[in-house]
Amino acid sequence: MELRRTLHIERRNPMEVFTDADCIIFRKYEVSCTFCGNENDVTLFKGKALCDDCRRELVAKAASPTV
Ligand SMILES: [Zn+2]
């Protein structure tokens, strides 16, 4: 978190961090939906990437148990 703030990386752009010997490597972490692969409007839900469409679908299914 401290590094992110220092480097002015927005929370919306997650980074992968690798350590290699005494180097630290940052790479942009491309987040895509776990279910459909969509890369737009992706949020994390319980550790899974979830796009807005799938989130809505999930909510709709939760609301109607007889799918
Ligand atoms: Zn999706």
Coordinates of all heavy atoms in Angstrom, one line a residue:
M1 N 0.8 -1.2 0.0 CA 0.0 0.0 0.0 C 0.9 1.3 0.0 O 0.6 2.2 -0.7 CB -0.9 0.0 1.2 CG -2.0 -1.0 1.2 SD -3.1 -0.8 -0.2 CE -3.0 -2.4 -1.0
E2 N 1.9 1.2 0.8 CA 2.8 2.3 0.9 C 3.5 2.6 -0.5 O 3.6 3.7 -0.9 CB 3.9 2.1 2.0 CG 4.7 3.3 2.3 CD 3.9 4.5 2.8 OE1 3.0 4.3 3.6 OE2 4.2 5.6 2.4
L3 N 3.9 1.5 -1.1 CA 4.5 1.6 -2.4 C 3.6 2.1 -3.4 O 3.9 3.0 -4.3 CB 5.0 0.2 -2.9 CG 6.4 -0.2 -2.3 CD1 6.7 -1.6 -2.6 CD2 7.5 0.6 -3.0
R4 N 2.3 1.7 -3.4 CA 1.3 2.1 -4.4 C 1.2 3.6 -4.2 O 1.1 4.4 -5.2 CB 0.0 1.5 -4.1 CG -0.1 0.1 -4.7 CD -1.4 -0.6 -4.2 NE -1.4 -2.0 -4.6 CZ -2.3 -2.5 -5.4 NH1 -3.3 -1.8 -5.8 NH2 -2.3 -3.8 -5.8
R5 N 1.1 4.1 -3.0 CA 0.9 5.5 -2.8 C 2.1 6.3 -3.3 O 2.0 7.3 -3.9 CB 0.7 5.8 -1.3 CG -0.2 6.9 -1.0 CD -0.5 7.0 0.5 NE -1.1 5.8 1.1 CZ -0.7 5.2 2.2 NH1 0.2 5.7 2.9 NH2 -1.3 4.2 2.6
T6 N 3.3 5.8 -3.0 CA 4.5 6.4 -3.5 C 4.6 6.5 -5.0 O 5.0 7.5 -5.5 CB 5.7 5.6 -2.9 OG1 5.6 5.5 -1.5 CG2 7.0 6.4 -3.3
L7 N 4.2 5.5 -5.6 CA 4.3 5.4 -7.1 C 3.0 6.0 -7.8 O 2.9 6.0 -9.0 CB 4.5 4.0 -7.6 CG 5.8 3.3 -7.1 CD1 5.8 1.9 -7.4 CD2 7.0 4.0 -7.8
H8 N 2.1 6.4 -7.0 CA 0.9 7.0 -7.5 C 0.1 6.1 -8.4 O -0.4 6.4 -9.5 CB 1.1 8.3 -8.3 CG 1.9 9.3 -7.5 ND1 1.3 10.0 -6.4 CD2 3.1 9.8 -7.5 CE1 2.2 10.8 -5.9 NE2 3.3 10.7 -6.5
I9 N 0.0 4.8 -8.0 CA -0.7 3.8 -8.7 C -2.1 3.8 -8.1 O -2.3 3.6 -6.9 CB 0.0 2.5 -8.6 CG1 1.3 2.5 -9.2 CG2 -0.9 1.4 -9.3 CD1 2.2 1.3 -8.8
E10 N -3.1 3.9 -8.9 CA -4.4 3.9 -8.5 C -4.8 2.5 -8.0 O -4.4 1.5 -8.6 CB -5.4 4.3 -9.6 CG -5.3 5.8 -9.8 CD -6.3 6.2 -10.9 OE1 -7.5 5.7 -10.8 OE2 -6.0 7.0 -11.7
R11 N -5.7 2.4 -7.1 CA -6.2 1.1 -6.6 C -6.9 0.4 -7.7 O -7.0 -0.8 -7.7 CB -7.2 1.3 -5.4 CG -6.5 1.6 -4.1 CD -7.4 2.1 -3.1 NE -6.8 2.0 -1.8 CZ -7.1 1.0 -0.9 NH1 -7.9 0.1 -1.2 NH2 -6.5 1.0 0.3
R12 N -7.5 1.1 -8.6 CA -8.2 0.5 -9.7 C -7.3 -0.3 -10.7 O -7.7 -1.1 -11.5 CB -8.9 1.5 -10.5 CG -10.1 2.1 -9.8 CD -10.8 3.1 -10.6 NE -11.3 2.6 -11.9 CZ -12.5 2.0 -12.0 NH1 -13.3 2.0 -11.0 NH2 -12.9 1.6 -13.2
N13 N -6.0 0.0 -10.6 CA -5.0 -0.7 -11.5 C -4.1 -1.6 -10.6 O -3.0 -1.1 -10.2 CB -4.1 0.3 -12.2 CG -5.0 1.1 -13.2 OD1 -5.9 0.6 -13.8 ND2 -4.6 2.4 -13.3
P14 N -4.6 -2.7 -10.3 CA -3.8 -3.6 -9.4 C -2.5 -4.0 -10.1 O -2.4 -4.1 -11.3 CB -4.6 -4.9 -9.2 CG -6.0 -4.5 -9.8 CD -5.8 -3.4 -10.7
M15 N -1.4 -4.2 -9.3 CA -0.1 -4.5 -9.9 C 0.3 -5.9 -9.3 O -0.1 -6.3 -8.2 CB 0.9 -3.5 -9.4 CG 0.6 -2.1 -9.8 SD 0.8 -1.7 -11.5 CE 2.6 -1.8 -11.7
E16 N 1.0 -6.6 -10.2 CA 1.6 -7.8 -9.7 C 3.0 -7.4 -9.3 O 3.7 -6.7 -10.0 CB 1.7 -8.9 -10.8 CG 0.4 -9.7 -10.9 CD 0.6 -10.7 -12.0 OE1 1.1 -10.3 -13.1 OE2 0.2 -11.8 -11.8
V17 N 3.5 -7.9 -8.2 CA 4.8 -7.6 -7.7 C 5.6 -8.9 -7.6 O 5.2 -9.9 -7.0 CB 4.7 -6.9 -6.3 CG1 6.1 -6.5 -5.8 CG2 3.8 -5.7 -6.3
F18 N 6.8 -8.8 -8.3 CA 7.7 -9.9 -8.2 C 9.0 -9.5 -7.5 O 9.4 -8.4 -7.7 CB 8.1 -10.4 -9.6 CG 6.9 -10.8 -10.4 CD1 6.3 -9.9 -11.3 CD2 6.3 -12.1 -10.3 CE1 5.2 -10.2 -12.1 CE2 5.2 -12.4 -11.1 CZ 4.7 -11.5 -12.0
T19 N 9.6 -10.4 -6.8 CA 10.9 -10.0 -6.3 C 11.9 -11.0 -6.9 O 11.7 -12.2 -6.9 CB 11.0 -10.2 -4.7 OG1 10.4 -11.4 -4.4 CG2 10.2 -9.1 -4.1
D20 N 12.9 -10.5 -7.5 CA 13.9 -11.2 -8.2 C 15.3 -10.8 -7.6 O 15.7 -9.7 -7.9 CB 13.8 -11.0 -9.7 CG 14.9 -11.8 -10.4 OD1 15.4 -12.7 -9.9 OD2 15.2 -11.4 -11.6
A21 N 15.9 -11.7 -6.9 CA 17.2 -11.4 -6.2 C 17.0 -10.1 -5.4 O 16.1 -10.1 -4.5 CB 18.3 -11.2 -7.2
D22 N 17.6 -9.0 -5.7 CA 17.4 -7.8 -5.0 C 16.7 -6.7 -5.8 O 16.7 -5.6 -5.5 CB 18.8 -7.2 -4.4 CG 19.8 -7.2 -5.5 OD1 19.5 -7.4 -6.7 OD2 21.0 -6.9 -5.2
C23 N 15.9 -7.2 -6.8 CA 15.1 -6.3 -7.6 C 13.6 -6.6 -7.3 O 13.3 -7.7 -6.9 CB 15.3 -6.6 -9.1 SG 17.0 -6.3 -9.7
I24 N 12.9 -5.5 -7.4 CA 11.4 -5.7 -7.2 C 10.8 -5.3 -8.6 O 11.1 -4.2 -9.1 CB 10.8 -4.8 -6.1 CG1 11.5 -5.1 -4.8 CG2 9.3 -5.0 -6.0 CD1 11.1 -4.2 -3.7
I25 N 10.0 -6.2 -9.1 CA 9.5 -6.0 -10.5 C 8.0 -5.7 -10.3 O 7.3 -6.6 -9.7 CB 9.7 -7.2 -11.4 CG1 11.3 -7.4 -11.5 CG2 9.1 -7.0 -12.7 CD1 11.6 -8.8 -11.9
F26 N 7.5 -4.7 -10.9 CA 6.1 -4.4 -10.9 C 5.5 -4.6 -12.3 O 6.2 -4.3 -13.3 CB 5.8 -2.9 -10.6 CG 6.0 -2.6 -9.1 CD1 7.3 -2.1 -8.7 CD2 5.0 -2.8 -8.2 CE1 7.5 -1.9 -7.4 CE2 5.2 -2.5 -6.9 CZ 6.5 -2.0 -6.4
R27 N 4.4 -5.2 -12.4 CA 3.8 -5.5 -13.7 C 2.3 -5.1 -13.5 O 1.7 -5.5 -12.5 CB 4.0 -6.9 -14.1 CG 3.7 -7.1 -15.5 CD 4.0 -8.5 -16.0 NE 2.9 -9.5 -15.5 CZ 3.0 -10.8 -15.7 NH1 4.0 -11.3 -16.3 NH2 2.0 -11.5 -15.3
K28 N 1.7 -4.5 -14.5 CA 0.3 -4.3 -14.5 C -0.4 -5.6 -14.5 O -0.2 -6.5 -15.3 CB -0.1 -3.4 -15.7 CG -1.5 -2.9 -15.5 CD -1.9 -2.0 -16.7 CE -3.4 -1.6 -16.6 NZ -4.1 -1.8 -17.8
Y29 N -1.4 -5.7 -13.6 CA -2.1 -6.9 -13.4 C -3.4 -6.8 -14.1 O -4.3 -6.0 -13.8 CB -2.3 -7.2 -11.9 CG -3.1 -8.4 -11.6 CD1 -2.7 -9.6 -12.2 CD2 -4.2 -8.4 -10.7 CE1 -3.5 -10.8 -11.9 CE2 -4.9 -9.5 -10.4 CZ -4.5 -10.7 -11.0 OH -5.2 -11.9 -10.7
E30 N -3.6 -7.5 -15.2 CA -4.8 -7.5 -16.0 C -5.9 -8.3 -15.3 O -5.7 -9.5 -15.2 CB -4.5 -8.0 -17.4 CG -3.5 -7.2 -18.2 CD -4.0 -5.8 -18.6 OE1 -5.2 -5.6 -18.5 OE2 -3.1 -5.0 -18.9
V31 N -6.9 -7.7 -14.9 CA -8.0 -8.4 -14.2 C -9.1 -8.6 -15.2 O -9.6 -7.7 -15.8 CB -8.5 -7.5 -13.0 CG1 -9.6 -8.3 -12.3 CG2 -7.4 -7.2 -12.1
S32 N -9.5 -9.9 -15.3 CA -10.6 -10.2 -16.1 C -11.6 -11.0 -15.3 O -11.1 -11.7 -14.4 CB -10.2 -10.9 -17.4 OG -9.4 -12.1 -17.1
C33 N -12.8 -11.0 -15.7 CA -13.8 -11.7 -15.0 C -13.6 -13.2 -15.0 O -13.2 -13.8 -16.0 CB -15.2 -11.4 -15.7 SG -16.5 -12.3 -14.9
T34 N -13.7 -13.8 -13.8 CA -13.5 -15.2 -13.7 C -14.4 -16.1 -14.5 O -14.1 -17.1 -15.0 CB -13.6 -15.6 -12.2 OG1 -12.8 -14.8 -11.4 CG2 -13.3 -17.1 -11.9
F35 N -15.6 -15.5 -14.7 CA -16.7 -16.3 -15.3 C -16.8 -16.1 -16.8 O -17.0 -17.1 -17.5 CB -18.0 -15.9 -14.7 CG -18.0 -16.2 -13.2 CD1 -17.8 -15.2 -12.3 CD2 -18.2 -17.5 -12.7 CE1 -17.8 -15.4 -10.9 CE2 -18.2 -17.8 -11.4 CZ -17.9 -16.7 -10.5
C36 N -16.6 -14.9 -17.3 CA -16.8 -14.7 -18.7 C -15.6 -14.0 -19.4 O -15.5 -13.9 -20.6 CB -18.0 -13.8 -19.0 SG -17.9 -12.1 -18.5
G37 N -14.6 -13.6 -18.6 CA -13.4 -13.0 -19.2 C -13.4 -11.6 -19.5 O -12.5 -11.0 -20.0
N38 N -14.6 -11.0 -19.3 CA -14.7 -9.5 -19.5 C -13.7 -8.7 -18.6 O -13.5 -9.1 -17.5 CB -16.2 -9.1 -19.1 CG -16.5 -7.7 -19.5 OD1 -15.7 -7.0 -20.0 ND2 -17.7 -7.3 -19.2
E39 N -13.1 -7.7 -19.2 CA -12.2 -6.9 -18.5 C -12.7 -5.5 -18.1 O -12.0 -4.7 -17.5 CB -10.9 -6.7 -19.3 CG -10.1 -8.0 -19.5 CD -8.9 -7.8 -20.3 OE1 -8.5 -6.7 -20.6 OE2 -8.2 -8.9 -20.5
N40 N -14.0 -5.3 -18.4 CA -14.6 -4.0 -18.0 C -15.4 -4.1 -16.7 O -16.1 -5.1 -16.5 CB -15.5 -3.5 -19.1 CG -14.7 -3.3 -20.4 OD1 -13.6 -2.8 -20.4 ND2 -15.3 -3.8 -21.5
D41 N -15.3 -3.1 -15.9 CA -16.1 -3.0 -14.6 C -15.9 -4.3 -13.8 O -16.8 -4.8 -13.2 CB -17.6 -2.9 -15.0 CG -17.8 -1.6 -15.8 OD1 -17.2 -0.6 -15.4 OD2 -18.6 -1.7 -16.7
V42 N -14.6 -4.7 -13.7 CA -14.4 -5.9 -12.9 C -14.1 -5.5 -11.4 O -13.3 -4.6 -11.2 CB -13.2 -6.7 -13.4 CG1 -12.8 -7.9 -12.5 CG2 -13.5 -7.2 -14.8
T43 N -14.8 -6.2 -10.5 CA -14.5 -6.0 -9.1 C -14.2 -7.3 -8.5 O -14.4 -8.4 -9.1 CB -15.8 -5.4 -8.4 OG1 -16.9 -6.3 -8.7 CG2 -16.1 -4.0 -8.8
L44 N -13.6 -7.3 -7.4 CA -13.2 -8.5 -6.7 C -14.3 -8.9 -5.7 O -14.7 -8.1 -4.9 CB -11.9 -8.4 -6.0 CG -10.7 -8.4 -6.9 CD1 -9.4 -8.2 -6.1 CD2 -10.5 -9.7 -7.7
F45 N -14.8 -10.1 -5.8 CA -15.8 -10.6 -4.8 C -15.2 -11.9 -4.2 O -15.1 -12.9 -4.9 CB -17.1 -10.9 -5.6 CG -18.2 -11.4 -4.7 CD1 -18.7 -10.7 -3.7 CD2 -18.6 -12.7 -4.8 CE1 -19.7 -11.2 -2.8 CE2 -19.6 -13.3 -4.0 CZ -20.1 -12.5 -3.0
K46 N -14.9 -11.9 -2.9 CA -14.4 -13.0 -2.2 C -13.2 -13.6 -3.0 O -13.1 -14.8 -3.1 CB -15.5 -14.1 -2.0 CG -16.6 -13.5 -1.1 CD -17.5 -14.6 -0.6 CE -18.5 -13.9 0.4 NZ -19.3 -14.9 1.1
G47 N -12.4 -12.8 -3.4 CA -11.1 -13.2 -4.1 C -11.3 -13.6 -5.5 O -10.3 -14.0 -6.2
K48 N -12.5 -13.5 -6.1 CA -12.7 -13.8 -7.5 C -13.0 -12.5 -8.2 O -13.8 -11.7 -7.7 CB -13.9 -14.8 -7.7 CG -13.7 -16.1 -6.9 CD -12.8 -17.0 -7.7 CE -12.8 -18.3 -7.0 NZ -11.6 -19.2 -7.5
A49 N -12.5 -12.4 -9.4 CA -12.8 -11.3 -10.3 C -14.2 -11.5 -10.9 O -14.5 -12.5 -11.4 CB -11.7 -11.1 -11.3
L50 N -14.9 -10.4 -10.8 CA -16.3 -10.5 -11.2 C -16.7 -9.3 -12.0 O -16.6 -8.2 -11.4 CB -17.2 -10.7 -10.0 CG -18.6 -11.1 -10.1 CD1 -18.8 -12.5 -10.6 CD2 -19.4 -11.0 -8.8
C51 N -17.2 -9.4 -13.2 CA -17.6 -8.2 -14.0 C -19.0 -7.8 -13.6 O -19.7 -8.5 -12.9 CB -17.5 -8.5 -15.5 SG -18.8 -9.5 -16.1
D52 N -19.3 -6.6 -14.0 CA -20.6 -6.0 -13.6 C -21.8 -6.9 -14.1 O -22.8 -7.1 -13.4 CB -20.7 -4.6 -14.2 CG -21.7 -3.8 -13.3 OD1 -21.6 -3.9 -12.1 OD2 -22.5 -3.0 -13.9
D53 N -21.7 -7.4 -15.3 CA -22.7 -8.3 -15.9 C -22.9 -9.5 -15.0 O -24.1 -9.9 -14.7 CB -22.4 -8.7 -17.3 CG -22.5 -7.5 -18.3 OD1 -23.1 -6.5 -17.9 OD2 -22.1 -7.6 -19.4
C54 N -21.8 -10.2 -14.7 CA -21.9 -11.4 -14.0 C -22.4 -11.2 -12.5 O -23.1 -12.0 -11.9 CB -20.6 -12.2 -13.9 SG -20.2 -12.9 -15.6
R55 N -22.0 -10.0 -12.0 CA -22.4 -9.6 -10.7 C -24.0 -9.5 -10.6 O -24.6 -10.0 -9.7 CB -21.8 -8.3 -10.2 CG -22.1 -8.0 -8.8 CD -21.4 -6.7 -8.4 NE -21.8 -5.5 -9.3 CZ -23.0 -4.9 -9.1 NH1 -23.8 -5.2 -8.1 NH2 -23.3 -3.9 -9.9
R56 N -24.5 -8.8 -11.7 CA -25.9 -8.7 -11.7 C -26.6 -10.0 -11.9 O -27.7 -10.2 -11.3 CB -26.3 -7.8 -12.9 CG -26.4 -6.3 -12.5 CD -26.7 -5.4 -13.7 NE -25.7 -4.4 -13.8 CZ -25.7 -3.5 -14.8 NH1 -26.5 -3.6 -15.8 NH2 -24.8 -2.6 -14.8
E57 N -26.0 -10.9 -12.7 CA -26.6 -12.2 -12.9 C -26.7 -13.0 -11.6 O -27.6 -13.6 -11.3 CB -25.8 -12.9 -14.0 CG -26.6 -14.0 -14.7 CD -25.7 -14.6 -15.8 OE1 -25.2 -13.9 -16.6 OE2 -25.7 -15.9 -15.9
L58 N -25.6 -12.8 -10.9 CA -25.5 -13.5 -9.6 C -26.5 -13.0 -8.6 O -27.2 -13.8 -8.0 CB -24.1 -13.3 -9.0 CG -23.5 -14.3 -8.0 CD1 -23.2 -15.6 -8.7 CD2 -22.2 -13.7 -7.4
V59 N -26.7 -11.7 -8.6 CA -27.7 -11.1 -7.7 C -29.1 -11.6 -8.1 O -29.9 -11.9 -7.3 CB -27.6 -9.6 -7.8 CG1 -28.8 -8.9 -7.1 CG2 -26.3 -9.1 -7.1
A60 N -29.3 -11.6 -9.4 CA -30.7 -12.0 -9.9 C -30.9 -13.5 -9.5 O -32.0 -13.8 -9.1 CB -30.7 -11.9 -11.5
K61 N -29.9 -14.4 -9.7 CA -30.1 -15.8 -9.3 C -30.3 -15.9 -7.8 O -31.1 -16.8 -7.4 CB -28.9 -16.6 -9.8 CG -28.9 -16.7 -11.3 CD -28.0 -17.9 -11.7 CE -28.1 -18.0 -13.2 NZ -27.5 -19.2 -13.7
A62 N -29.6 -15.1 -7.0 CA -29.7 -15.2 -5.6 C -31.1 -14.8 -5.2 O -31.7 -15.3 -4.2 CB -28.7 -14.3 -4.9
A63 N -31.7 -13.9 -6.0 CA -33.0 -13.3 -5.6 C -34.1 -14.3 -6.0 O -35.2 -14.3 -5.4 CB -33.3 -12.0 -6.4
S64 N -33.9 -15.2 -7.0 CA -34.9 -16.2 -7.4 C -34.3 -17.6 -7.3 O -33.5 -18.1 -8.1 CB -35.3 -15.9 -8.8 OG -34.2 -15.9 -9.7
P65 N -34.5 -18.3 -6.2 CA -33.9 -19.6 -5.9 C -34.3 -20.7 -6.9 O -33.6 -21.7 -7.1 CB -34.5 -20.0 -4.5 CG -35.0 -18.7 -3.9 CD -35.4 -17.9 -5.1
T66 N -35.5 -20.5 -7.6 CA -35.9 -21.5 -8.6 C -35.4 -21.2 -9.9 O -36.1 -20.7 -10.8 CB -37.4 -21.6 -8.6 OG1 -38.0 -20.3 -8.8 CG2 -38.0 -22.1 -7.3
V67 N -34.1 -21.4 -10.2 CA -33.5 -21.1 -11.5 C -33.6 -22.3 -12.4 O -33.2 -23.4 -12.1 CB -32.0 -20.8 -11.3 CG1 -31.4 -20.5 -12.7 CG2 -31.8 -19.6 -10.4
Ligands
ZN1 ZN -18.3 -11.7 -16.3

